[in-house]
Amino acid sequence: MPDSSELQAQHDELRHLIVGLSKHSVSKSCYPELQQLILDLERSRLLLDQSSDAVMLFAVPSGQILDCNETACRFLGRSLDILRSRTLFSLIDPATEEQAARLFSDAQIGILRKETFTSTFATAAGTVFPVEISLKTVKIDRSIFAVADVRNISERLHAENVLKESEARYRALFEDSRDAIYMALPNGDFTDINMAGVEMLGYSTKEEVFQLNVEQDLYADPLVRRQLLQRLSDDGCLKDYEVLLRKRDGEYINVLLTSSAMIGDHGSIIGYRGIMRDITGHKKLEQQLLQSQKMEAIGRLTAGIAHDFNNILTSILGYATMVDLKLAEQSPMKKHIGNIILSAERAAVLIKRLLSFSRQQKISMLPVDASSIVISTGNIIAEVIGQDVTLDIMPSNRELLVNADRGQIEQALINLITNARDAMPHGGTLRIQCEPYLLGDDFIRQYCYGEPGTYALISVADTGTGMDSKILQKLFEPFFTTKEVGKGTGLGLSIVYGIMKQHGGFINVESALGSGSTFRLYLPLIRQEKDSARTRASSE
């Protein structure tokens, strides 16, 4: 087999011969084949020189450069004559030399193949740029050559890096978002979700969420999702749509959903992507604010009506009393006037209760031990509560001084105990407990009211029928009652609410149907003994 110098000489001789013939006047009729060969070679050279890729011819196995197009010379910043003194191995990155050498070795034993790999080229000025080399070994006559198509991939790698950086930024935004971000298929299977979404739904890993079906496992009402999908199909997107989702533990959460449809090449929907924000806390705050505003409005209205009605009632009672004094004891009208006076006095008691709810009633505030109020109230109701109810009185083991009207607090407790007894028609357990309570930020975040500090907490818990969420929303409104007509005025709990507000405290309730109820009264202590207080978890 000729060595590389012989191959180079043969190549140059043929090239010079063809170029020399093309410069002479050669008759096409005499030399048609030669003329066509010249045209084909010139056409091929023109095409190769116009290529944006470098095309190079190498000797095997030395790797010496035999020929190349103008693009290769431009890439490397060297002339063809200079390049002929170089080899492929002197151009590429040493890390990729083994791939080319293995290709050349295989060619020498008759295995001709093609391999594509990435490497780097260095220009005459020392600039290094990345290239993609498609190297192929061929056999012409008895000689083996290697042809390389070399492409400068600087722009491609730059675009790939930009894309990777963009994807990294997107992934960082995706994962770091405090809102849940997801992608799902039309059938409801998740294809991606961030950790905020995983945690919002009550799961530990993405893999657990990927096993879920959005419609069947998450939506409280699957029909709602079908309606949303129809809107997405019609409009392509929807924004700030409120839905009710079910967490892993069965708890329901209010979610604000913004979603859009992903359209495939054929115009059909191939999936959905969106953002979910848990607004359960906001909804709770909103309901509490509305409830508070409603109670304030009702209180002002009640106070106004009570004052006006009290003025009218005072006149009725005054005139009725005057008539009663002037009537003889034997007068048949004496009895009727007495009924008028009795009814007016009952109405006065009702007005007093309304004023108590609206915080307009005068009270006498003195330092008093909250535990002593619990003990005295327990003694009052112990004999009348009924033998089928177990009464459990649990006062605090230390003095809890509060600034309060003792009679008003006792009245509030009696009202709560009376309701608890009515909620246990077949008997049960009634527990009245007093203890110190350190109110912190967790409590304020949960209930959206209260001031940090130490309180006397008086709780009244029963094992009765309990109440649902609809009843709880109206529980402290005047004249609202669940009792039969004639068995309750609906003022008992509204009076308790007003008393607590007037004392600078507050009341809350926990209840569920069939699980009893627990009312908690919070009265601020006169002395803030935070360090020595026996505290309970403020999330209770």
Side-chain angles (χ1 to χ4, degrees):
M1 180 180 295
D3 58 22
S4 59
S5 59
E6 293 176 347
L7 290 172
Q8 183 66 58
Q10 294 173 6
H11 180 271
D12 291 344
E13 183 179 351
L14 177 60
R15 184 183 184 92
H16 292 147
L17 174 61
I18 294 174
V19 172
L21 288 172
S22 64
K23 292 180 180 179
H24 292 80
S25 176
V26 181
S27 173
K28 291 184 180 181
S29 60
C30 297
Y31 306 102
E33 294 84 358
L34 183 58
Q35 186 70 21
Q36 185 61 45
L37 176 61
I38 293 171
L39 292 174
D40 290 344
L41 287 173
E42 290 178 345
R43 187 181 297 112
S44 299
R45 170 59 63 177
L46 179 62
L47 291 174
L48 287 175
D49 287 340
Q50 294 300 314
S51 172
S52 60
D53 293 343
V55 181
M56 309 181 75
L57 180 68
F58 303 98
V60 176
S62 67
Q64 181 182 353
I65 300 174
L66 300 176
D67 200 358
C68 66
N69 64 352
E70 291 182 0
T71 304
C73 297
R74 189 166 59 252
F75 271 6
L76 298 169
R78 296 179 175 92
S79 66
L80 176 59
D81 290 337
I82 294 176
L83 288 176
R84 281 177 173 171
S85 64
R86 308 291 296 274
T87 66
L88 172 64
F89 303 107
S90 67
L91 297 178
I92 61 176
D93 188 331
T96 57
E97 287 183 12
E98 185 179 348
Q99 290 175 276
R102 190 166 53 247
L103 191 74
F104 288 179
S105 297
D106 290 345
Q108 288 182 290
I109 60 175
I111 302 175
L112 303 177
R113 60 187 179 87
K114 179 181 179 181
E115 188 166 338
T116 300
F117 56 93
T118 57
S119 185
T120 58
F121 270 9
T123 67
T127 304
V128 178
F129 60 93
V131 293
E132 183 182 75
I133 303 174
S134 294
L135 189 61
K136 180 180 181 182
T137 52
V138 295
K139 188 173 184 180
I140 302 175
D141 196 9
R142 292 179 301 160
S143 302
I144 298 176
F145 301 92
V147 181
D149 184 278
V150 184
R151 177 167 296 174
N152 187 338
I153 57 173
S154 299
E155 292 184 1
R156 190 183 80 186
L157 291 182
H158 176 70
E160 290 176 355
N161 289 334
V162 170
L163 180 60
K164 288 179 182 178
E165 291 174 0
S166 176
E167 289 177 347
R169 287 194 297 269
Y170 161 76
R171 179 54 59 176
L173 291 171
F174 182 85
E175 293 296 346
D176 295 343
S177 172
R178 297 177 64 182
D179 293 331
I181 304 176
Y182 74 94
M183 287 188 287
L185 298 174
N187 66 359
D189 293 338
F190 281 104
T191 58
D192 201 359
I193 189 170
N194 63 351
M195 284 307 299
V198 174
E199 293 169 0
M200 185 186 78
L201 298 174
Y203 292 87
S204 302
T205 65
K206 292 184 179 184
E207 287 67 26
E208 291 177 315
V209 178
F210 291 156
Q211 301 300 317
L212 303 176
N213 182 274
V214 176
E215 183 174 305
Q216 299 173 4
D217 300 321
L218 295 183
Y219 273 75
D221 183 0
L223 179 61
V224 173
R225 183 176 188 263
R226 295 176 207 145
Q227 294 171 344
L228 294 182
L229 295 187
Q230 185 59 51
R231 287 191 57 179
L232 284 169
S233 177
D234 296 340
D235 304 332
C237 65
L238 56 87
K239 184 178 181 181
D240 293 342
Y241 194 93
E242 188 175 330
V243 297
L244 192 65
L245 299 185
R246 183 171 53 249
K247 296 175 62 175
R248 182 179 190 172
D249 59 5
E251 178 187 353
Y252 289 98
I253 56 175
N254 298 95
V255 171
L256 207 60
L257 174 66
T258 296
S259 183
S260 61
M262 295 186 290
I263 309 300
D265 295 336
H266 302 291
S268 59
I269 296 177
I270 60 174
Y272 305 96
R273 58 189 168 202
I275 300 175
M276 298 184 293
R277 175 172 295 176
D278 185 354
I279 59 170
T280 307
H282 294 287
K283 293 285 289 184
K284 188 175 182 179
L285 289 175
E286 183 182 83
Q287 291 171 357
Q288 290 175 344
L289 178 60
L290 291 174
Q291 180 71 8
S292 176
Q293 291 175 336
K294 181 174 68 174
M295 295 299 289
E296 290 294 330
I298 292 175
R300 287 194 295 270
L301 177 63
T302 303
I305 294 174
H307 280 298
D308 291 343
F309 185 55
N310 191 50
N311 293 334
I312 298 172
L313 191 61
T314 300
S315 299
I316 294 174
L317 190 58
Y319 285 119
T321 302
M322 290 174 60
V323 172
D324 182 59
L325 292 174
K326 291 182 178 181
L327 289 174
E329 290 294 331
Q330 297 78 16
S331 173
M333 296 298 296
K334 190 80 171 177
K335 180 179 179 182
H336 300 304
I337 293 297
N339 287 334
I340 292 174
I341 293 173
L342 181 61
S343 296
E345 288 174 345
R346 288 177 179 173
V349 173
L350 178 61
I351 290 173
K352 184 178 180 180
R353 292 179 178 178
L354 290 174
L355 290 173
S356 178
F357 163 74
S358 60
R359 290 171 275 168
Q360 299 292 319
Q361 186 179 6
K362 293 182 179 181
I363 59 176
S364 177
M365 306 281 278
L366 295 171
V368 60
D369 180 16
S371 284
S372 68
I373 298 177
V374 169
I375 294 172
S376 62
T377 305
N379 293 334
I380 293 173
I381 56 95
E383 297 182 359
V384 297
I385 197 68
Q387 296 182 351
D388 56 347
V389 175
T390 301
L391 182 61
D392 188 8
I393 305 295
M394 301 175 63
S396 174
N397 57 5
R398 69 179 183 84
E399 186 180 56
L400 299 175
L401 284 180
V402 296
N403 203 26
D405 184 318
R406 186 186 188 97
Q408 289 284 318
I409 300 300
E410 287 179 349
Q411 179 64 53
L413 288 177
I414 290 173
N415 287 359
L416 293 178
I417 292 168
T418 302
N419 282 349
R421 178 64 186 85
D422 293 340
M424 297 184 289
H426 305 295
T429 299
L430 176 61
R431 187 181 74 249
I432 307 173
Q433 184 176 5
C434 184
E435 59 187 318
Y437 184 89
L438 179 61
L439 190 150
D441 294 335
D442 290 344
F443 182 97
I444 297 172
R445 279 194 296 269
Q446 180 177 359
Y447 294 104
C448 307
Y449 54 74
E451 293 290 335
T454 309
Y455 289 73
L457 170 59
I458 303 175
S459 58
V460 178
D462 65 67
T463 57
T465 55
M467 297 169 283
D468 60 23
S469 58
K470 292 183 178 179
I471 293 177
L472 291 175
Q473 290 178 358
K474 299 182 178 181
L475 197 60
F476 298 109
E477 295 179 10
F479 305 111
F480 174 78
T481 180
T482 57
K483 298 177 182 179
E484 297 178 9
V485 177
K487 292 189 177 182
T489 62
L491 288 175
L493 290 178
S494 64
I495 289 174
V496 176
Y497 177 89
I499 290 173
M500 294 309 298
K501 287 292 185 181
Q502 208 162 6
H503 280 73
F506 37 89
I507 178 174
N508 61 33
V509 58
E510 290 182 5
S511 184
L513 286 176
S515 300
S517 303
T518 300
F519 287 83
R520 295 187 176 93
L521 309 179
Y522 300 83
L523 292 167
L525 292 182
I526 294 176
R527 294 193 300 270
Q528 300 294 313
E529 301 177 283
K530 179 177 179 181
D531 294 335
S532 61
R534 183 169 51 85
T535 62
R536 292 172 48 192
S538 62
S539 60
E540 291 184 357

